[in-house]
Amino acid sequence: MQKLNSSDEISILEHDLAELKKSNRLVDDNNNTSTILKTRLERLLKERELRKSLKSCNDQDVNSNIVDDQNQIITPLTDNLPTEEELVKGLKASKLITNESEREDRSPFKQRLLVVANRLPVSAVRKGDASWQLEVTVGGLVSALLGITDFEAKWIGWAGVTVRDEIGRKSLTEALAEKRCVPVFLDENLVNLYYNGYCNNILWPLFHYLGLPQEDSLATIWSFQSQFEAYKKANQLFADVVKEHYQDGDIVWCHDYHLMFLPKCLKEQNENIKVGWFLHTPFPSSEIYRTMPSRSELLIAVLAADVVGFHTYDYARHFVSACTRILGLEGTPEGVEDQGRLTRVAAFPIGIDSDRFVKAIELPQVKNHIKEFQERFDGRKVMLGVDRLDMIKGIPQKLLAFEKFLEDNPNWQDKVVFVQIAVPTRTDVLEYQKLTCQVHEIVGRINGRFGTLTTVPIHHLDRSFDYHALCALYAITDVALITSLRDGMNLVSYEFVACQASKKGALILSEFAGAAQSLGAGAILVNPWNVTEVAFAIAYALNMPSEEREKRHHHNYVHVTTHTSQEWAETFISELNDMVVEAQLRTTQIPPLLQTEHTIERYMRSNNRLLILGFNVTLTEPVNAPDRRVDQFKEMESKLHPELKEPLKRLCNDPKTTVVVLSGSHRSVLDKNFDEYNVWLAAEHGVFVRTGNKKWLQNLSDNINMDWVESVKHVFEYFTERTPRSYFELRETSIVWNYKYADIEFGRLQAKDMLQHLWTGPISNASVEVVQGGRSVEVRAHGVTKGAGISGILGQVIHDKNMKDPIDYVLCVGHFLPKDEDIYTFFEPELPAATPTPTHSSLGSPGNEFSPNHSARRTGSGGYSVSASDSEDWGSNGKRSSNTTMDAHNKGPSVLDLQGDNYFSCAVGRKRSTARYLLNSSADVVTLLKKLAD
């Protein structure tokens, strides 16, 4: 990358970066933007390179002003950065948060960033009826987003106070507006159930592997269901505030476990909104997460986001695994895919503003503290621990390990001092009060056992520490001891490394802290539960040769100073912007939602209607219905949706309507569900047909070969035994192995192995087809599809009903596998040979047409015709003759005269489909059929 120095060159570089984000084009060093980047990775790497180059250019001008073309002095970027003292006091931080003023040497901000978190970056204290005192808080998220200058940031969150009166709400809103903050008002009862209840007593312990609270704990804060309802209500309130302030093109960045429902709420309000969600805690393994009663609802809500971010790869992997095992979705290297919609899931390790700590060491206040501490601990090695007094921080384990170290190394007893800063938190909670007593007891025992009249081995402080004093303590520390039992990232380790330029002390880090994946090469990784191991690590760190300490420190220092909080935020937002572009490309390949009113209007105008309905997932009750148990096979048998019984009966009894239920299930399953209906049934993909008089006929020639069934059955039995909770179903013309109740990842591996067994053995020379479903493998006779079966079914319908009027309306709805989607195109009108097949993006108009894959004869009016002679190919034995076809050249009166805008093919829950339209779920099918019946 070339070195840029002038303001013009910097402006060009900034313009290139903006254009790259907008157009996804490669911007080379000569400002050429003609080459289109091939992959998202190339775009992101190039953008990162441009950002770093821009940053280096600005760093070169830290102490100089820039003169523009009019000889006007322009303040450089660094003049907008706060001093260390100002940042600590929060006096100037709010100006960076607000992005109120535009730098004179830069163009106005083109994109806004709405940061949504449970708490605002300011705390509010009421001083009067309409007066508020606001103090900027310097926390991890606040510090991480302070350096972002490419976006106009606005914060949305709870101000930490309950405001009931309108005057107070209005005045607080106005006061926060000056800080570019927007309050979400929550009442006290809602906060108790949502924040103290569901967030802190349910989600937080579970995400940190502490498990769900017992019943007696839940009883003190109402029931679990009340908390969950409050959680959803609070998330909806956040979404309502976002909606008020959202403008087209804004990015909404949701943060942490408090707002897991927010992405879904936002997408329901506006599906085009750009939404990212980031978790600042660990995400547990799927085995832990599955204990959550509301597990599926939370995952589905989060997956509504475009990008889901975590601190480490492990957390991202656990999330994808939970979506795969619990929801049954497809996990890919990119993220989680659900019927064509991809949610990007990735690791975005957060950093710190390292420059702030590096420069702090040179401040006079910090140097005075350094001198004071060096005099205080003269002659002794200093060990340091900085934690919240929390169960996950492993403070008792850390103290026990230090006690073990002193026992095993008596020569160090007067030569080392351990300073533990434990900031109190949630002091009103009984468990935290017990933890405090436990820690004090251990500290007292160790100091009483190993202390002297002049020295004590442990200095324990139950309070927060002044920033300058903390930086000084970091600087003089020889060994930092961080033993979190489970931690999202733990930035204390980063702060320690940033302040160790001179000392180059050792870092002992828990392998269960997220920082272990970033600093593991330079730190000494330990299992905090293994007290002996931690004690040995302390001895090793104190005796470590200087050369090794310098190498370890150098590795960590490079990482901390290059992977900053600004880099973290900009990488996440860049990924989000890029995923939105990809999502737009994917959307063009998805059929549009069915326009119900138009469908009903055409239905009412027609005289002879044909409704072809799938069964499973289309007419069945949802799998996750409250009264069904997913771990019991008998209760998971396919059952007709209870709300469809009356409307379906009315449709079947309508003399102008013929209803055909077309399924891959065995005919006994269809008989059980539709015995009382005047409906046509087609079982096993149309091989068997039950007529209106409830007589089953075989829609298949007699010479089909089924000799392969027995050998395939042996293979399916073998894999059923190997795969717990899987089963197979033997039908008359096919056999299906299903693993929808088994572990999804193990089931897919077994299915892959099964296919290899089948192709190399039982079916290697058989006339069969293997059809893979989402969680099934089906072997069926060659040529058996729903599209192939519909021709004979249609002929029999015409024969039995003695139709005189042509069928002028067809509605085909189903959750069909790609193999069976030929039924969608069966009724499609023919197109001229030169006319290309349109894409799904043009399917909004009911008149759009696909190329046909059937032989129905098109009438002069633009519809279709099927000869009546097609209905005469059924023998007296109830079997269809072997030479029966839908021949376009058959003579006879037209019985199918279907205009293009009177045909509606709808895929249910399958966004990748050849159908014209889409219905999201069986609930939408219920709504549609109810309206048709009315």
Side-chain angles (χ1 to χ4, degrees):
M1 178 67 69
Q2 62 182 346
K3 183 177 180 180
L4 304 179
N5 293 312
S6 71
S7 60
D8 289 341
E9 290 175 312
I10 295 176
S11 298
I12 291 173
L13 191 58
E14 292 171 342
H15 175 266
D16 290 347
L17 182 57
E19 290 299 315
L20 177 63
K21 291 180 178 179
K22 290 194 302 181
S23 63
N24 290 328
R25 290 175 180 270
L26 171 66
V27 183
D28 61 21
D29 293 334
N30 297 318
N31 198 30
N32 296 321
T33 60
S34 59
T35 306
I36 299 178
L37 294 178
K38 297 179 181 179
T39 66
R40 182 176 73 257
L41 180 61
E42 291 180 15
R43 295 195 294 271
L44 294 176
L45 290 175
K46 186 64 179 180
E47 186 176 328
R48 181 179 181 183
E49 184 181 358
L50 288 171
R51 284 202 309 269
K52 287 187 175 181
S53 178
L54 179 60
K55 182 178 184 299
S56 65
C57 293
N58 286 320
D59 289 344
Q60 293 173 9
D61 297 324
V62 167
N63 298 316
S64 62
N65 290 327
I66 301 174
V67 181
D68 64 7
D69 294 336
Q70 287 76 34
N71 293 322
Q72 298 290 324
I73 297 179
I74 299 175
T75 305
L77 173 63
T78 50
D79 285 356
N80 285 330
L81 295 177
T83 64
E84 302 303 324
E85 184 174 1
E86 288 175 328
L87 185 56
V88 175
K89 294 182 178 179
L91 297 179
K92 199 173 180 181
S94 61
K95 295 181 182 179
L96 282 178
I97 296 174
T98 63
N99 286 327
E100 290 270 12
S101 59
E102 297 174 357
R103 293 187 300 275
E104 297 178 24
D105 61 330
R106 294 177 181 264
S107 58
F109 295 105
K110 297 181 179 180
Q111 191 171 29
R112 297 199 317 164
L113 176 64
L114 302 183
V115 178
V116 190
N118 177 61
R119 289 295 301 269
L120 289 171
V122 295
S123 59
V125 180
R126 193 163 190 171
K127 296 298 183 180
D129 290 342
S131 176
W132 294 87
Q133 178 182 335
L134 304 179
E135 295 182 359
V136 176
T137 58
V138 182
L141 179 59
V142 179
S143 300
L145 298 179
L146 284 181
I148 300 179
T149 56
D150 292 339
F151 298 88
E152 181 186 353
K154 178 178 284 189
W155 292 69
I156 298 175
W158 179 46
V161 292
T162 300
V163 187
R164 297 184 178 88
D165 59 294
E166 190 61 32
I167 295 177
R169 292 191 173 197
K170 182 179 180 180
S171 58
L172 178 58
T173 301
E174 293 173 351
L176 289 172
E178 298 179 2
K179 306 292 186 183
R180 299 289 292 177
C181 294
V182 179
V184 177
F185 294 105
L186 307 175
D187 62 63
E188 189 173 351
N189 183 57
L190 184 62
V191 170
N192 184 48
L193 290 172
Y194 147 70
Y195 180 70
N196 297 326
Y198 196 78
C199 291
N200 287 339
N201 282 66
I202 303 296
L203 291 178
W204 188 90
L206 187 74
F207 281 14
H208 289 86
Y209 292 78
L210 298 179
L212 293 173
Q214 300 302 313
E215 191 62 33
D216 57 343
S217 300
L218 286 173
T220 62
I221 50 174
W222 293 21
S223 67
F224 169 84
Q225 191 59 35
S226 299
Q227 298 171 47
F228 186 52
E229 293 301 322
Y231 181 83
K232 292 192 289 185
K233 180 180 179 181
N235 276 246
Q236 186 60 55
L237 291 176
F238 276 86
D240 293 340
V241 175
V242 172
K243 183 179 179 181
E244 294 177 7
H245 295 269
Y246 175 79
Q247 299 175 7
D248 289 342
D250 287 355
I251 291 177
V252 182
W253 195 0
C254 314
H255 288 271
D256 231 353
Y257 58 92
H258 311 89
L259 301 175
M260 293 182 73
F261 249 85
L262 186 55
K264 179 182 178 182
C265 296
L266 293 172
K267 287 291 187 177
E268 287 176 348
Q269 293 176 348
N270 181 358
E271 63 179 9
N272 296 320
I273 192 172
K274 299 178 183 178
V275 180
W277 182 78
F278 192 90
L279 182 65
H280 293 269
T281 69
F283 191 90
S285 70
S286 59
E287 286 302 304
I288 298 295
Y289 179 80
R290 70 191 303 179
T291 63
M292 171 73 72
S294 54
R295 58 192 187 184
S296 297
E297 292 180 83
L298 290 173
L299 291 177
I300 293 172
V302 170
L303 287 175
D306 299 293
V307 176
V308 176
F310 300 90
H311 283 308
T312 71
Y313 168 73
D314 282 349
Y315 306 155
R317 177 171 53 85
H318 290 163
F319 179 81
V320 173
S321 178
C323 293
T324 302
R325 295 171 181 266
I326 296 173
L327 300 180
L329 301 179
E330 184 75 21
T332 71
E334 293 291 309
V336 178
E337 188 170 356
D338 182 12
Q339 293 299 320
R341 185 189 185 278
L342 177 67
T343 298
R344 174 75 168 130
V345 180
F348 302 91
I350 195 173
I352 63 171
D353 183 5
S354 56
D355 288 344
R356 175 188 169 206
F357 288 90
V358 172
K359 295 176 181 177
I361 303 302
E362 303 302 322
L363 295 176
Q365 306 98 306
V366 176
K367 288 184 177 181
N368 291 336
H369 283 298
I370 290 176
K371 182 179 180 181
E372 176 187 346
F373 291 146
Q374 287 175 338
E375 293 175 354
R376 178 69 179 83
F377 303 124
D378 184 38
R380 290 192 290 174
K381 296 284 187 179
V382 178
M383 292 176 53
L384 176 65
V386 180
D387 308 276
R388 284 184 298 108
L389 192 53
D390 202 306
M391 275 84 71
I392 67 165
K393 296 300 182 180
I395 296 178
Q397 289 82 358
K398 181 190 307 186
L399 295 172
L400 293 175
F402 183 65
E403 182 180 29
K404 175 68 173 173
F405 162 75
L406 294 177
E407 288 178 355
D408 296 343
N409 300 273
N411 57 308
W412 277 101
Q413 291 180 6
D414 294 330
K415 300 178 182 178
V416 63
V417 59
F418 180 28
V419 180
Q420 175 63 55
I421 300 173
V423 182
T425 180
R426 303 186 70 186
T427 54
D428 57 333
V429 178
L430 180 61
E431 287 78 5
Y432 285 76
Q433 295 171 358
K434 292 180 179 179
L435 175 64
T436 302
C437 294
Q438 182 186 22
V439 170
H440 289 173
E441 180 183 344
I442 297 174
V443 170
R445 186 184 71 241
I446 295 175
N447 282 341
R449 183 180 176 187
F450 298 100
T452 65
L453 291 175
T454 56
T455 61
V456 291
I458 300 178
H459 290 238
H460 180 81
L461 302 177
D462 273 329
R463 60 180 178 84
S464 58
F465 223 56
D466 172 73
Y467 170 72
H468 297 107
L470 181 61
C471 290
L473 202 52
Y474 282 145
I476 61 98
T477 295
D478 296 280
V479 179
L481 187 56
I482 299 171
T483 58
S484 304
L485 305 181
R486 191 71 59 174
D487 225 342
M489 178 57 75
N490 194 303
L491 296 181
V492 170
S493 56
Y494 280 63
E495 295 172 358
F496 167 75
V497 171
C499 295
Q500 281 283 311
S502 299
K503 193 77 172 182
K504 297 179 175 58
L507 173 63
I508 300 176
L509 184 60
S510 166
E511 64 184 72
F512 300 118
Q517 293 196 14
S518 304
L519 306 180
I524 302 173
L525 297 184
V526 295
N527 177 2
W529 295 100
N530 190 334
V531 173
T532 302
E533 178 185 340
V534 178
F536 177 81
I538 293 174
Y540 183 79
L542 290 173
N543 293 290
M544 186 182 296
S546 58
E547 290 184 2
E548 182 179 349
R549 279 193 294 106
E550 290 180 5
K551 287 182 179 180
R552 288 176 177 268
H553 168 76
H554 176 73
H555 179 277
N556 288 342
Y557 188 80
V558 170
H559 179 85
V560 169
T561 53
T562 55
H563 295 77
T564 63
S565 56
Q566 180 173 346
E567 178 78 12
W568 162 74
E570 290 181 343
T571 301
F572 184 93
I573 295 171
S574 297
E575 186 76 25
L576 177 56
N577 275 322
D578 201 79
M579 280 305 301
V580 170
V581 174
E582 283 198 12
Q584 292 171 347
L585 295 176
R586 286 172 175 263
T587 302
T588 62
Q589 304 170 5
I590 298 175
L593 292 175
L594 178 69
Q595 299 299 316
T596 306
E597 298 304 322
H598 176 73
T599 307
I600 297 173
E601 177 191 357
R602 304 303 302 184
Y603 177 86
M604 297 301 295
R605 291 184 180 184
S606 57
N607 294 316
N608 192 3
R609 309 136 180 166
L610 175 63
L611 305 186
I612 303 173
L613 308 174
F615 180 53
N616 291 300
V617 187
T618 306
L619 301 180
T620 54
E621 59 181 326
V623 172
N624 57 354
D627 59 341
R628 308 188 75 184
R629 296 181 60 192
V630 298
D631 58 340
Q632 300 295 323
F633 291 171
K634 291 183 179 179
E635 296 193 20
M636 286 305 299
E637 293 178 356
S638 299
K639 297 179 181 179
L640 180 65
H641 199 294
E643 295 184 30
L644 278 177
K645 293 182 178 180
E646 288 304 318
L648 190 59
K649 188 171 293 185
R650 290 198 297 271
L651 288 171
C652 292
N653 294 333
D654 184 352
K656 293 185 177 182
T657 303
T658 302
V659 180
V660 178
V661 176
L662 180 56
S663 172
S665 301
H666 192 274
R667 42 182 164 174
S668 62
V669 176
L670 298 183
D671 270 334
K672 184 177 180 179
N673 283 277
F674 298 97
D675 186 58
E676 59 184 285
Y677 297 91
N678 181 27
V679 62
W680 287 70
L681 301 178
E684 301 198 27
H685 312 290
V687 173
F688 300 97
V689 179
R690 196 191 79 171
T691 62
N693 59 7
K694 301 184 180 180
K695 178 183 178 182
W696 282 100
L697 303 175
Q698 182 172 316
N699 182 24
L700 194 66
S701 59
D702 293 329
N703 57 1
I704 185 170
N705 186 351
M706 299 295 292
D707 295 340
W708 50 269
V709 171
E710 199 62 31
S711 57
V712 172
K713 178 184 174 183
H714 290 314
V715 175
F716 278 19
E717 287 176 339
Y718 171 70
F719 278 90
T720 299
E721 293 175 358
R722 286 180 55 179
T723 312
R725 305 182 77 195
S726 68
Y727 66 98
F728 72 91
E729 180 183 355
L730 181 60
R731 300 168 181 171
E732 296 183 55
T733 58
S734 65
I735 182 170
V736 182
W737 181 69
N738 200 307
Y739 57 94
K740 62 183 177 181
Y741 307 114
D743 180 274
I744 185 64
E745 294 181 0
F746 181 63
R748 285 173 180 163
L749 290 174
Q750 293 294 79
K752 184 178 180 180
D753 195 11
M754 173 189 283
L755 291 175
Q756 293 178 345
H757 277 73
L758 291 174
W759 286 119
T760 58
I763 64 172
S764 56
N765 297 314
S767 180
V768 298
E769 292 178 316
V770 178
V771 182
Q772 275 193 281
R775 294 191 179 188
S776 65
V777 176
E778 179 181 7
V779 181
R780 63 171 78 160
H782 181 73
V784 174
T785 66
K786 290 180 171 65
I790 194 62
S791 61
I793 297 170
L794 188 58
Q796 185 65 17
V797 169
I798 296 167
H799 177 269
D800 277 28
K801 300 191 74 169
N802 193 24
M803 286 185 178
K804 302 300 182 183
D805 296 328
I807 296 174
D808 58 355
Y809 179 95
V810 175
L811 171 66
C812 182
V813 182
H815 179 81
F816 302 135
L817 295 175
K819 176 72 177 177
D820 296 308
E821 287 195 344
D822 55 348
I823 190 174
Y824 292 144
T825 54
F826 181 85
F827 295 96
E828 288 288 355
E830 295 181 359
L831 294 176
T835 305
T837 300
T839 62
H840 278 307
S841 61
S842 63
L843 288 179
S845 171
N848 290 317
E849 303 170 338
F850 286 110
S851 298
N853 66 346
H854 59 86
S855 56
R857 175 157 44 94
R858 187 170 187 177
T859 66
S861 61
Y864 321 75
S865 69
V866 177
S867 298
S869 57
D870 292 325
S871 63
E872 300 172 356
D873 296 312
W874 293 79
S876 58
N877 60 352
K879 295 184 179 180
R880 195 174 179 205
S881 61
S882 59
N883 61 348
T884 301
T885 60
M886 287 281 290
D887 189 355
H889 302 291
N890 286 334
K891 305 298 182 183
S894 173
V895 292
L896 180 62
D897 191 4
L898 182 63
Q899 303 298 322
D901 56 356
N902 268 19
Y903 173 55
F904 301 88
S905 58
C906 305
V908 180
R910 288 194 181 278
K911 295 183 178 179
R912 289 183 176 179
S913 171
T914 58
R916 288 186 173 193
Y917 304 102
L918 173 68
L919 290 173
N920 289 322
S921 66
S922 60
D924 294 334
V925 179
V926 171
T927 302
L928 173 63
L929 295 183
K930 281 183 176 180
K931 291 182 178 180
L932 290 177
D934 292 338

